[in-house]
mmCIF file of all heavy atoms in Angstrom:
data_model
loop_
_atom_site.group_PDB
_atom_site.id
_atom_site.type_symbol
_atom_site.label_atom_id
_atom_site.label_comp_id
_atom_site.label_asym_id
_atom_site.label_seq_id
_atom_site.Cartn_x
_atom_site.Cartn_y
_atom_site.Cartn_z
ATOM 1 N N MET A 106 20.199 13.370 29.636
ATOM 2 C CA MET A 106 21.523 12.719 29.623
ATOM 3 C C MET A 106 22.451 13.419 30.561
ATOM 4 O O MET A 106 22.431 14.658 30.671
ATOM 5 C CB MET A 106 22.091 12.771 28.217
ATOM 6 C CG MET A 106 21.165 11.990 27.296
ATOM 7 S SD MET A 106 21.443 12.285 25.567
ATOM 8 C CE MET A 106 19.905 11.659 24.918
ATOM 9 N N LYS A 107 23.242 12.677 31.222
ATOM 10 C CA LYS A 107 24.186 13.234 32.216
ATOM 11 C C LYS A 107 25.417 13.711 31.511
ATOM 12 O O LYS A 107 26.070 12.973 30.767
ATOM 13 C CB LYS A 107 24.525 12.209 33.280
ATOM 14 C CG LYS A 107 25.586 12.673 34.273
ATOM 15 C CD LYS A 107 25.874 11.556 35.264
ATOM 16 C CE LYS A 107 27.275 11.725 35.862
ATOM 17 N NZ LYS A 107 27.611 10.628 36.757
ATOM 18 N N GLU A 108 25.783 14.968 31.785
ATOM 19 C CA GLU A 108 26.998 15.523 31.257
ATOM 20 C C GLU A 108 27.943 15.835 32.417
ATOM 21 O O GLU A 108 27.548 16.497 33.379
ATOM 22 C CB GLU A 108 26.669 16.835 30.478
ATOM 23 C CG GLU A 108 27.889 17.512 29.906
ATOM 24 C CD GLU A 108 27.482 18.839 29.221
ATOM 25 O OE1 GLU A 108 27.234 19.805 29.954
ATOM 26 O OE2 GLU A 108 27.447 18.869 27.980
ATOM 27 N N SER A 109 29.165 15.380 32.301
ATOM 28 C CA SER A 109 30.168 15.690 33.323
ATOM 29 C C SER A 109 31.246 16.512 32.664
ATOM 30 O O SER A 109 31.792 16.126 31.657
ATOM 31 C CB SER A 109 30.796 14.398 33.881
ATOM 32 O OG SER A 109 29.823 13.619 34.505
ATOM 33 N N GLN A 110 31.518 17.682 33.251
ATOM 34 C CA GLN A 110 32.484 18.583 32.651
ATOM 35 C C GLN A 110 33.045 19.522 33.687
ATOM 36 O O GLN A 110 32.268 20.146 34.433
ATOM 37 C CB GLN A 110 31.780 19.377 31.516
ATOM 38 C CG GLN A 110 32.704 20.089 30.583
ATOM 39 C CD GLN A 110 31.938 20.718 29.425
ATOM 40 O OE1 GLN A 110 30.835 21.190 29.589
ATOM 41 N NE2 GLN A 110 32.529 20.717 28.243
ATOM 42 N N GLY A 111 34.355 19.611 33.751
ATOM 43 C CA GLY A 111 35.001 20.589 34.597
ATOM 44 C C GLY A 111 34.585 20.520 36.068
ATOM 45 O O GLY A 111 34.398 21.546 36.702
ATOM 46 N N GLY A 112 34.442 19.319 36.608
ATOM 47 C CA GLY A 112 34.086 19.183 37.990
ATOM 48 C C GLY A 112 32.621 19.314 38.282
ATOM 49 O O GLY A 112 32.211 19.270 39.465
ATOM 50 N N SER A 113 31.816 19.545 37.257
ATOM 51 C CA SER A 113 30.378 19.676 37.433
ATOM 52 C C SER A 113 29.653 18.556 36.744
ATOM 53 O O SER A 113 30.150 17.981 35.778
ATOM 54 C CB SER A 113 29.913 21.026 36.866
ATOM 55 O OG SER A 113 28.503 21.135 36.894
ATOM 56 N N GLU A 114 28.464 18.264 37.206
ATOM 57 C CA GLU A 114 27.591 17.296 36.536
ATOM 58 C C GLU A 114 26.235 17.949 36.399
ATOM 59 O O GLU A 114 25.768 18.605 37.328
ATOM 60 C CB GLU A 114 27.448 16.043 37.406
ATOM 61 C CG GLU A 114 28.704 15.239 37.588
ATOM 62 C CD GLU A 114 28.446 13.993 38.409
ATOM 63 O OE1 GLU A 114 27.576 14.026 39.313
ATOM 64 O OE2 GLU A 114 29.111 12.993 38.157
ATOM 65 N N LYS A 115 25.588 17.711 35.294
ATOM 66 C CA LYS A 115 24.239 18.191 35.134
ATOM 67 C C LYS A 115 23.519 17.294 34.135
ATOM 68 O O LYS A 115 24.162 16.509 33.425
ATOM 69 C CB LYS A 115 24.200 19.632 34.641
ATOM 70 C CG LYS A 115 24.946 19.916 33.340
ATOM 71 C CD LYS A 115 24.813 21.387 32.994
ATOM 72 C CE LYS A 115 25.671 21.789 31.814
ATOM 73 N NZ LYS A 115 27.074 22.059 32.205
ATOM 74 N N LEU A 116 22.186 17.400 34.141
ATOM 75 C CA LEU A 116 21.389 16.711 33.169
ATOM 76 C C LEU A 116 21.028 17.666 32.020
ATOM 77 O O LEU A 116 20.621 18.803 32.265
ATOM 78 C CB LEU A 116 20.109 16.164 33.814
ATOM 79 C CG LEU A 116 20.288 15.074 34.857
ATOM 80 C CD1 LEU A 116 18.918 14.533 35.264
ATOM 81 C CD2 LEU A 116 21.183 13.987 34.385
ATOM 82 N N VAL A 117 21.171 17.161 30.814
ATOM 83 C CA VAL A 117 20.775 17.897 29.605
ATOM 84 C C VAL A 117 19.498 17.229 29.105
ATOM 85 O O VAL A 117 19.503 16.008 28.867
ATOM 86 C CB VAL A 117 21.879 17.858 28.542
ATOM 87 C CG1 VAL A 117 21.424 18.622 27.294
ATOM 88 C CG2 VAL A 117 23.175 18.454 29.096
ATOM 89 N N PHE A 118 18.444 18.000 28.916
ATOM 90 C CA PHE A 118 17.146 17.471 28.545
ATOM 91 C C PHE A 118 16.789 17.708 27.089
ATOM 92 O O PHE A 118 17.183 18.721 26.525
ATOM 93 C CB PHE A 118 16.046 18.108 29.431
ATOM 94 C CG PHE A 118 15.994 17.604 30.842
ATOM 95 C CD1 PHE A 118 16.803 18.187 31.809
ATOM 96 C CD2 PHE A 118 15.141 16.614 31.214
ATOM 97 C CE1 PHE A 118 16.791 17.755 33.109
ATOM 98 C CE2 PHE A 118 15.088 16.163 32.537
ATOM 99 C CZ PHE A 118 15.934 16.728 33.473
ATOM 100 N N GLY A 119 15.997 16.790 26.523
ATOM 101 C CA GLY A 119 15.342 17.054 25.268
ATOM 102 C C GLY A 119 14.122 17.943 25.507
ATOM 103 O O GLY A 119 13.765 18.211 26.636
ATOM 104 N N LYS A 120 13.513 18.376 24.425
ATOM 105 C CA LYS A 120 12.334 19.263 24.549
ATOM 106 C C LYS A 120 11.132 18.593 25.121
ATOM 107 O O LYS A 120 10.245 19.237 25.644
ATOM 108 C CB LYS A 120 11.973 19.852 23.174
ATOM 109 C CG LYS A 120 12.888 20.969 22.702
ATOM 110 C CD LYS A 120 12.279 21.634 21.453
ATOM 111 C CE LYS A 120 13.130 22.811 21.041
ATOM 112 N NZ LYS A 120 12.553 23.516 19.880
ATOM 113 N N GLY A 121 11.063 17.277 24.992
ATOM 114 C CA GLY A 121 9.906 16.566 25.482
ATOM 115 C C GLY A 121 8.898 16.227 24.397
ATOM 116 O O GLY A 121 8.752 16.972 23.407
ATOM 117 N N THR A 122 8.230 15.091 24.559
ATOM 118 C CA THR A 122 7.164 14.679 23.659
ATOM 119 C C THR A 122 5.909 14.544 24.458
ATOM 120 O O THR A 122 5.846 13.821 25.437
ATOM 121 C CB THR A 122 7.505 13.317 23.021
ATOM 122 O OG1 THR A 122 8.728 13.418 22.298
ATOM 123 C CG2 THR A 122 6.392 12.911 22.063
ATOM 124 N N LYS A 123 4.884 15.297 24.024
ATOM 125 C CA LYS A 123 3.617 15.238 24.721
ATOM 126 C C LYS A 123 2.810 14.061 24.200
ATOM 127 O O LYS A 123 2.515 13.984 22.995
ATOM 128 C CB LYS A 123 2.818 16.526 24.534
ATOM 129 C CG LYS A 123 1.534 16.572 25.357
ATOM 130 C CD LYS A 123 0.870 17.931 25.260
ATOM 131 C CE LYS A 123 -0.386 17.981 26.119
ATOM 132 N NZ LYS A 123 -1.024 19.330 26.033
ATOM 133 N N LEU A 124 2.466 13.129 25.064
ATOM 134 C CA LEU A 124 1.727 11.917 24.705
ATOM 135 C C LEU A 124 0.315 11.963 25.280
ATOM 136 O O LEU A 124 0.129 12.276 26.435
ATOM 137 C CB LEU A 124 2.459 10.680 25.251
ATOM 138 C CG LEU A 124 1.695 9.351 25.138
ATOM 139 C CD1 LEU A 124 1.578 8.943 23.704
ATOM 140 C CD2 LEU A 124 2.407 8.261 25.943
ATOM 141 N N THR A 125 -0.652 11.698 24.406
ATOM 142 C CA THR A 125 -2.006 11.536 24.857
ATOM 143 C C THR A 125 -2.475 10.128 24.503
ATOM 144 O O THR A 125 -2.377 9.720 23.349
ATOM 145 C CB THR A 125 -2.937 12.563 24.191
ATOM 146 O OG1 THR A 125 -2.485 13.871 24.508
ATOM 147 C CG2 THR A 125 -4.371 12.391 24.680
#
Side-chain angles (χ1 to χ4, degrees):
Chain A
M106 298 166 197
K107 175 183 157 182
E108 178 184 77
S109 299
Q110 195 174 35
S113 173
E114 295 181 327
K115 56 180 173 278
L116 294 187
V117 180
F118 285 85
K120 282 190 177 183
T122 301
K123 186 174 181 180
L124 171 68
T125 301

